[in-house]
Amino acid sequence: MQGVILVGGEGTRLRPLTSGTPKPIVTFVDRPFMGFMLQWLARHDVTDVVMCCGFLATKVREVLGDGSGFGVRLRFVEEPEPRGTAGALKYAEDLLEDRFVMLNGDVLTDVDVGAQVRQHEATGAVGTLGLVPVEDPSAYGLVLLDEDNAVTGFLEKPGSDQLRDVDQYLISAGIYVLERRVLDLIPPGRAVSIEREVWPRLVGEGLYGHPAQDAYWLDIGTPERYLDGTRDILAGHVETAVSERLDAERQDLAGDVDPGARVTGPVIVEAGARVAAGARVIGPAVIGAGSELAPQAVVESAVVLHGCRIGPGAHVRRAILAGGVQIGANTIVEDGVVLGEGVEVGADCILSHGMKVFPHTTLPDGAIRF
Ligand code: GDD
Ligand code: MG
């Protein structure tokens, strides 16, 4: 089966992680995020994958290569300018087969795509949207179904007034099984949104929904959800290849962890990382290759990517540190803070409340304390 993945968005909500790195190749636990999607697709026999790129496409190509490292054959299409979700598909037209799976490039999931394809074939649908239940549909595409799973309404980013008579919030998971003839509905040469211009036109014309039962699903596009996804991968709430490298306690301490350090919960300390005596790592947490925790440093429910230095007595809690970040002694970084690549924070600072610091910024000792 063929897969088409859209990765042309700028990933603005994940800045500064996406300031110089496109969202699909931002490191997630221990691999580029897209690695999770490709390995999941390969498990469901979607092994011929076309990637529709825009933003920083060359970097995506460099990191993912021909896909063989993830069990797929990967080809790339680059739009001349962002064409929107349908326009991107149209632009890849020459490579597409009669039936394919189209995917948003930011979903972490273990949904059974095979079951969705089987339903698509059984109903003779033109398109079948993978659906998942959520509590708040306002950031997604809300899908209304009849008793045969035919779509009776599609509301992208619905306002509260549109939700009044809806009793179950099923949203589009960004996983679509499509017949090639859907391309006929997309005008060429301009930006077109599949959510706003194509799905509404297919309502009543062979568009079905496939509610996924008991599957894991997460759009990883915000720092909050990046941390939630990391936790769920480490804890094994979502089926991924990461589980293969973890022991019974869901740890892989490949790095140099001093016997006087304490490591609890699901934790990866990558090879080349060092955790000094008296330091603590409280999972779910990742310490990237070459990163160092000084004595009495604490990393808790956080991600510290490669080459970081956490000074003595510093605390990093529910935060994300991109590569090469340095944190001075006794500084606290907490509560959804994201530090971009190469950020240097001096001693005795407090960074909190979801603050984001752009790559290569330097904050002197005591500069920020809130
Ligand atoms: N190639 C290309 N070109 N890709 C694009 C473009 C473009 O112009 N615009 C967006 N994309 C890609 C993004 O990179 C992302 O992988 C995907 O299309 C969806 O865009 P998002 O910006 O992440 O959309 P969203 O999360 O607000 O909403 C979409 O996903 C929800 C599920 O997560 C919609 O499809 C909703 O209906 C859906 O519920
Ligand atoms: Mg998204």
Side-chain angles (χ1 to χ4, degrees):
M1 188 84 172
Q2 188 175 48
V4 188
I5 309 184
L6 301 189
V7 297
E10 284 187 50
T12 49
R13 288 165 294 184
L14 255 191
R15 283 182 191 153
L17 295 179
T18 46
S19 299
T21 307
K23 188 159 64 170
I25 56 167
V26 164
T27 301
F28 212 71
V29 181
D30 63 351
R31 62 201 74 198
F33 172 72
M34 189 48 60
F36 289 96
M37 289 196 70
L38 297 176
Q39 288 171 325
W40 158 65
L41 289 172
R43 282 205 300 280
H44 293 283
D45 293 321
V46 179
T47 50
D48 175 24
V49 178
V50 176
M51 197 156 278
C52 300
C53 303
F55 185 64
L56 302 176
T58 316
K59 283 200 175 183
V60 179
R61 261 176 214 252
E62 269 170 26
V63 171
L64 300 177
D66 65 2
S68 54
F70 303 100
V72 301
R73 168 197 185 211
L74 197 51
R75 287 178 290 171
F76 295 87
V77 175
E78 259 176 70
E79 297 146 55
E81 72 279 321
R83 288 283 169 90
T85 44
L89 185 71
K90 185 76 174 178
Y91 195 74
E93 185 162 23
D94 291 348
L95 299 180
L96 300 180
E97 290 172 0
D98 288 342
R99 179 177 295 152
F100 52 86
V101 185
M102 175 178 171
L103 303 126
N104 288 351
D106 57 1
V107 293
L108 174 67
T109 184
D110 53 17
V111 164
D112 183 354
V113 186
Q116 187 176 333
V117 173
R118 286 192 292 280
Q119 180 193 309
H120 179 87
E121 288 169 350
T123 58
V126 179
T128 303
L129 311 178
L131 308 178
V132 287
V134 293
E135 276 166 26
D136 176 9
S138 58
Y140 303 105
L142 179 70
V143 178
L144 309 177
L145 297 180
D146 71 11
E147 60 280 4
D148 298 323
N149 285 343
V151 175
T152 56
F154 188 95
L155 301 167
E156 183 66 15
K157 314 277 177 345
S160 50
D161 50 319
Q162 294 176 292
L163 300 176
R164 237 168 256 143
D165 300 321
V166 184
D167 38 65
Q168 198 200 1
Y169 298 148
L170 284 173
I171 57 125
S172 165
I175 307 166
Y176 326 112
V177 183
L178 300 178
E179 296 297 300
R180 191 184 159 84
R181 63 197 140 102
V182 167
L183 293 168
D184 299 340
L185 298 175
I186 309 171
R190 68 164 172 93
V192 184
S193 159
I194 207 155
E195 294 87 352
R196 296 183 192 276
E197 299 180 57
V198 178
W199 305 147
R201 280 181 64 191
L202 281 174
V203 171
E205 305 287 335
L207 187 65
Y208 283 77
H210 174 78
Q213 310 297 346
D214 308 321
Y216 179 92
W217 183 89
L218 182 75
D219 174 327
I220 55 109
T222 66
E224 185 79 7
R225 296 204 219 114
Y226 176 100
L227 286 171
D228 290 348
T230 301
R231 172 198 65 205
D232 294 336
I233 290 167
L234 289 173
H237 297 151
V238 51
E239 190 189 329
T240 74
V242 171
S243 291
E244 292 161 20
R245 61 176 291 194
L246 303 180
D247 64 15
E249 288 172 68
R250 301 200 67 83
Q251 294 186 343
D252 181 0
L253 309 183
D256 176 7
V257 179
D258 190 281
R262 271 205 291 150
V263 179
T264 50
V267 168
I268 292 176
V269 178
E270 294 287 13
R274 288 173 52 190
V275 182
R280 280 192 293 156
V281 183
I282 303 163
V286 178
I287 310 295
S291 286
E292 296 186 13
L293 271 62
Q296 270 62 55
V298 179
V299 171
E300 177 177 358
S301 307
V303 175
V304 174
L305 294 179
H306 59 272
C308 295
R309 273 174 198 215
I310 319 282
H315 282 232
V316 177
R317 219 179 279 128
R318 212 172 156 76
I320 308 166
L321 274 49
V325 167
Q326 302 199 22
I327 306 289
N330 302 316
T331 279
I332 296 173
V333 180
E334 62 183 1
D335 191 17
V337 167
V338 188
L339 304 183
E341 212 162 81
V343 165
E344 293 181 25
V345 184
D348 303 311
C349 290
I350 300 176
L351 275 60
S352 190
H353 305 297
M355 178 189 295
K356 294 172 181 173
V357 182
F358 269 66
H360 306 292
T361 305
T362 301
L363 301 171
D365 293 352
I368 298 185
R369 293 189 61 82
F370 59 86

